[in-house]
Amino acid sequence: MIRVQGLEFRYQRSDFVLRVAELEIADHERVAIVGPSGSGKTTLLNLFAGISTPDRGTVQTAAERVSSMPDSARRRFRVQQVGLVFQEFELLDYLSVFDNILLPYFLSSALRLDDAVRTRARSLATDVEIADKLARNVAKLSQGERQRVALCRALLPRPRLVLADEPTGNLDPSNKHRVVDLLLENAQAAGATLVAVTHDAEVAERFDRVLDMAALQ
Ligand code: ADP
Ligand code: MG
């Protein structure tokens, strides 16, 4: 569940202002966010995740008021409850594909890495057809392959909230649909809330609801 009330956010030294009077995304809902480039889609996901905090208003995510948590609690919340697929992937170039997928387990002592987790990591990689590249350094992957690694990493801990920023932006049509299948199916199986930014009408129409940035202000 995500609930935003009276939100206002500005970057320092920038004219951009994001305002969201009221927004609610229910538990288990799967929502696509659409809107032109520069309209604040990534900014909004960062606010949902607690990466940024609003200047005014509140953001409540998965029963936690992330906008008023101290930094350390927000970081812990993010690792444990939020699966993020960043627009720029944020993979660690010196690690293999497999270790990048397992990364949340290296970063948080609250997540326990065991054989079941490793097996699930391999299975997710198989679902998006990168299982043959698990030992490869991520620096030696195509953009589309990197995007799929980022997706596996986000889904592995079965987060309650999955936030995906243009997760199909670099994919060919068949991989695009495979990634959307994986996102929708995993969210449903895990009872997670899913919010995905997309420019692709074919992708957006597969979600329960489409939220247009223009309608939020
Ligand atoms: P979208 O994801 O919809 O393309 P963003 O949320 O990335 O849009 O950006 C919204 C606006 O905020 C843009 O005008 C962008 O230039 C600006 N912006 C994004 N990040 C920063 C930042 N770190 N500092 C200043 N301005 C930023
Ligand atoms: Mg963006």
Side-chain angles (χ1 to χ4, degrees), residues 103-182:
L103 194 63
Y105 289 79
F106 301 147
L107 295 180
S108 170
S109 54
L111 297 173
R112 230 176 65 87
L113 182 58
D114 57 19
D115 284 345
V117 172
R118 290 190 188 88
T119 302
R120 176 168 155 77
R122 284 189 202 95
S123 151
L124 285 167
T126 303
D127 289 344
V128 293
E129 300 196 336
I130 52 167
D132 58 332
K133 301 186 176 71
L134 285 173
R136 194 183 291 186
N137 195 290
V138 287
K140 293 179 183 146
L141 297 180
S142 72
Q143 285 296 94
E145 287 162 348
R146 291 168 66 84
Q147 191 153 40
R148 284 175 276 158
V149 175
L151 177 70
C152 292
R153 180 181 65 188
L155 295 176
L156 184 61
R158 293 195 169 89
R160 300 201 30 212
L161 174 63
V162 178
L163 301 174
D165 203 350
E166 304 196 24
T168 63
N170 296 281
L171 304 178
D172 58 70
S174 83
N175 275 314
K176 178 175 91 178
H177 285 293
R178 199 168 292 129
V179 158
V180 177
D181 288 343
L182 191 70

Side-chain angles (χ1 to χ4, degrees), residues 41-42 87 165-166:
K41 303 179 299 297
T42 297
Q87 195 163 9
D165 203 350
E166 304 196 24

Side-chain angles (χ1 to χ4, degrees), residues 9-18 35-44 46 87 165-166 197 199 213:
F9 175 85
R10 291 164 202 271
Y11 289 105
Q12 280 171 6
R13 291 179 294 279
S14 159
D15 295 335
F16 176 77
V17 188
L18 178 68
S37 183
S39 60
K41 303 179 299 297
T42 297
T43 304
L44 186 60
N46 287 342
Q87 195 163 9
D165 203 350
E166 304 196 24
V197 169
H199 284 289
M213 289 302 287

